[in-house]
Amino acid sequence: MTRSWVPETVSRGHVVVLHGRGEHPGLYERFGRRLAVDGYTVVVPDLGTAPADWFDGAGDTARILVGTDTGALRAWETALETEVDGLVLAGTPLAAAPGAPAGREDEIAARTSCPIHRERLSADPDFHWGELDAGTAEPPQRLPDVPVLLLHGDADAIAPVDPVTRLGAAHPQASTAVFKDGVHDVLNDKVHRSVAARIVLFCEEIAKGAVVLPEVAATRSTRVRRAAPVHISARVDYSVRALVELASSGRQQTCESMARTQGIPLNSLVNLMVELRRGGLVHSQRGCEGGYWPARDAAEITLADVVRVVEGAVTSRHDDAERDAVWTRLGGAVADFLERITIADLAAEQRAAA
């Protein structure tokens, strides 16, 4: 039976979890409650239901599909055919295990090192023992064109970790988190709090368009540089360049092709295209023939439209700013300037410069 957990406030996103072998939706109550506290609706569907029903009520919020064990393989395949904004694969069985657990105690040890979840499995009449030795489907040939988070325990005896780390390394839109001493059911393992926190961070990156950059060494100069009075963010710049690329090419394009042509970091672009789609500036299609294309004629998309979608407003002030008329006039002048320039104008300039 499908289970769901809903935040007390407005939902920030819709997280669907597909469970693995022997499990049922009720085993993810602890996970569902934890993410609901962070503002996300969590649904663990009966696997007999159709994917079209899993995101009922999601509206315009971020759609995150999570799968564990064989549920990860199904989530992966579904994400290639169904529109989602992010994909999380936990304990993905990409290679055969050295051997199946010999009995209940061995299976519990292989599944989880969390004492609370061990007790839950031992006493659960709906849990099906002995299914980890069943075969698994072949994984799809490629990851979908959305941000992907791979979660795995380094002590997983059911699904070896090495093929998963190789998968993550081969795809620039994927990130991998391997947990020390973690075993197979990583969402319900002793590291479940850290796993849930990593998933929430991933959801935040999708929902808000934030990008967590790797740590970089400090530059020699220690002087603090302040933003100029008029600051063009990388988010706006990348979004405009992607839209100009779509308008100039006149064809549907993937994030990979746009990132390569425009020199934009792929992870950043993937997140931004999700926002542009939600803002009604582009359409998208999943699958082998998938990609993005403008939702309106390029002559009808202004720079102001782009700025409002990715930044929320054309101008902003610090919290203590007074309602001085000069800043209001500045905001109006900037908005007027941006309203007069369209993506078609910039595409024409790019063609002329070439």
Side-chain angles (χ1 to χ4, degrees), residues 104-191:
R104 287 196 174 193
E105 291 303 316
D106 286 344
E107 181 168 345
I108 284 181
R111 281 185 173 277
T112 180
S113 56
C114 172
I116 294 176
H117 197 62
R118 285 185 171 196
E119 290 183 9
R120 173 70 186 272
L121 293 181
S122 297
D124 192 337
D126 297 321
F127 180 75
H128 297 161
W129 297 94
E131 292 197 4
L132 286 178
D133 60 353
T136 63
E138 287 293 321
Q141 295 298 309
R142 63 181 183 86
L143 288 172
D145 186 23
V146 296
V148 178
L149 173 63
L150 304 172
L151 303 173
H152 220 88
D154 72 345
D156 191 338
I158 303 301
V161 66
D162 288 346
V164 173
T165 57
R166 288 197 297 269
L167 174 68
H171 294 270
Q173 73 269 45
S175 56
T176 306
V178 178
F179 296 88
K180 181 175 174 56
D181 300 326
V183 293
H184 186 56
D185 294 340
V186 70
L187 299 185
N188 281 316
D189 198 14
K190 68 179 180 181
V191 295

Side-chain angles (χ1 to χ4, degrees), residues 307-324:
V307 172
R308 292 187 181 106
V309 166
V310 299
E311 299 290 8
V314 171
T315 59
S316 62
R317 309 178 191 180
H318 67 89
D319 293 339
D320 298 328
E322 296 183 0
R323 295 293 175 182
D324 197 308

Side-chain angles (χ1 to χ4, degrees), residues 168-257:
H171 294 270
Q173 73 269 45
S175 56
T176 306
V178 178
F179 296 88
K180 181 175 174 56
D181 300 326
V183 293
H184 186 56
D185 294 340
V186 70
L187 299 185
N188 281 316
D189 198 14
K190 68 179 180 181
V191 295
H192 62 88
R193 292 181 181 87
S194 297
V195 172
R198 185 63 186 86
I199 291 175
V200 169
L201 176 60
F202 179 74
C203 292
E204 289 295 302
E205 292 172 351
I206 301 299
K208 301 295 184 183
V211 177
V212 179
L213 297 175
E215 185 177 346
V216 296
T219 59
R220 292 182 182 178
S221 174
T222 58
R223 186 172 70 89
V224 176
R225 297 187 64 186
R226 300 179 183 272
V230 178
H231 174 69
I232 310 303
S233 70
R235 288 161 47 79
V236 169
D237 179 43
Y238 294 162
S239 299
V240 169
R241 285 158 61 183
L243 289 168
V244 168
E245 176 64 23
L246 290 177
S248 298
S249 68
R251 59 182 175 83
Q252 183 173 307
Q253 291 201 55
T254 64
C255 285
E256 286 91 342
S257 65

